[in-house]
């Protein structure tokens, strides 16, 4: 399934932000981001820059991200720039998890082994907690309790990235369980 342009653009901006890159325009980000880490979303965007109609589509997607409050306006070196808002960061994390599941090569853990994650996210961060649970479900985890989830699939790297994306390092831990 092909991702909508707004989602691809949001994922590109999130990838660029993850690696500390700041650009004032989408075209600037695409032109300057030759780093291989950005390549999947960059390649998808570059084809749109080739035609006037494509550039209009990118502008429209960019405007949609602003309307949905996924981007936040800042003044950078005296010029207007946009960065991901907290809402945009959360949505990008949700999308990364969604698309990761589709690409995930499900490696089964050895018989009798499980990857377990447990967490205690404060009520004030309810939105993060709900998105984190959704991400766990997308990675193939099943709930044992509301805050204890298990998986028989080796997704430990993806789980660490999910915990980092939602900034839950202090309230989420994972274990490789030999017997359950």
């Amino acid at each position: 399934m092909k991702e909508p342009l707004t989602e691809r653009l949001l994922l590109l901006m999130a990838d660029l932000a993850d690696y500390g890159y700041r650009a004032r325009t989408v075209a600037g980000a695409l032109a300057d981001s030759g780093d291989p880490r950005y390549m999947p979303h960059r390649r998808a965007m570059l084809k749109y820059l080739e035609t006037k109609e494509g550039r209009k589509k990118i502008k429209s997607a960019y405007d949609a991200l602003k309307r949905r409050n996924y981007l936040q306006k800042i003044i950078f070196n005296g010029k207007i720039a946009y960065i991901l808002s907290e809402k945009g960061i959360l949505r990008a994390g949700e999308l990364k998890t969604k698309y990761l599941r589709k690409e995930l090569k499900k490696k089964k853990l050895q018989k009798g082994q499980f990857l377990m994650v447990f967490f205690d996210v404060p009520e004030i961060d309810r939105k993060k907690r709900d998105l984190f649970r959704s991400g766990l479900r997308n990675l193939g985890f099943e709930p044992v309790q509301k805050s204890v989830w298990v998986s028989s699939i080796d997704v430990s790297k993806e789980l660490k990235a999910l915990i980092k994306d939602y900034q839950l390092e202090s309230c989420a831990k994972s274990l490789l369980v030999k017997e359950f």
Side-chain angles (χ1 to χ4, degrees):
M1 186 172 107
K2 193 173 170 185
E3 304 111 19
L5 181 58
T6 52
E7 290 182 3
R8 283 183 179 241
L9 185 56
L10 184 63
L11 288 169
L12 173 67
M13 294 182 75
D15 285 349
L16 293 170
D18 284 348
Y19 295 107
Y21 184 82
R22 303 240 187 265
R24 290 194 328 272
T25 65
V26 176
L30 293 173
D32 296 343
S33 60
D35 192 312
R37 297 173 291 197
Y38 315 134
M39 293 310 276
H41 305 299
R42 180 178 184 262
R43 274 194 300 270
M45 294 288 127
L46 281 174
K47 71 177 184 175
Y48 287 98
L49 291 177
E50 295 172 0
T51 65
K52 187 174 184 175
E53 182 181 318
R55 289 188 293 275
K56 282 183 182 179
K57 285 182 181 181
I58 286 182
K59 170 109 174 64
S60 176
Y62 197 69
D63 290 342
L65 292 175
K66 289 191 285 189
R67 273 193 315 276
R68 293 176 190 160
N69 295 321
Y70 292 150
L71 301 179
Q72 168 182 329
K73 184 178 179 178
I74 63 167
I75 304 297
F76 184 71
N77 290 337
K79 296 183 180 180
I80 295 174
Y82 288 89
I83 61 171
L84 290 178
S85 65
E86 185 175 334
K87 184 178 177 182
I89 292 168
L90 291 175
R91 178 66 179 147
E94 190 178 53
L95 290 172
K96 284 180 186 180
T97 305
K98 175 183 168 185
Y99 293 122
L100 177 65
R101 182 170 187 189
K102 291 177 183 177
E103 297 171 7
L104 195 60
K105 292 183 176 143
K106 299 194 176 194
K107 281 194 315 188
K108 287 276 191 185
L109 291 167
Q110 292 179 3
K111 188 173 180 166
Q113 288 187 343
F114 292 89
L115 187 57
M116 178 182 281
V117 62
F118 51 97
F119 53 94
D120 186 15
V121 180
E123 181 63 25
I124 197 164
D125 291 327
R126 173 185 274 189
K127 178 99 170 140
K128 273 187 188 180
R129 184 179 61 214
D130 292 343
L131 289 171
F132 183 65
R133 283 187 182 132
S134 174
L136 290 173
R137 202 170 279 110
N138 285 335
L139 288 175
F141 280 85
E142 296 289 329
V144 175
Q145 295 178 355
K146 283 188 175 185
S147 61
V148 180
W149 292 58
V150 296
S151 175
S152 60
I153 303 165
D154 186 8
V155 288
S156 52
K157 288 180 185 175
E158 292 83 359
L159 176 60
K160 286 178 186 175
L162 183 68
I163 291 170
K164 184 180 177 192
D165 284 347
Y166 289 114
Q167 301 166 347
L168 298 174
E169 294 92 341
S170 64
C171 44
K173 302 294 178 205
S174 64
L175 301 168
L176 179 60
V177 179
K178 305 269 183 187
E179 286 185 30
F180 188 67

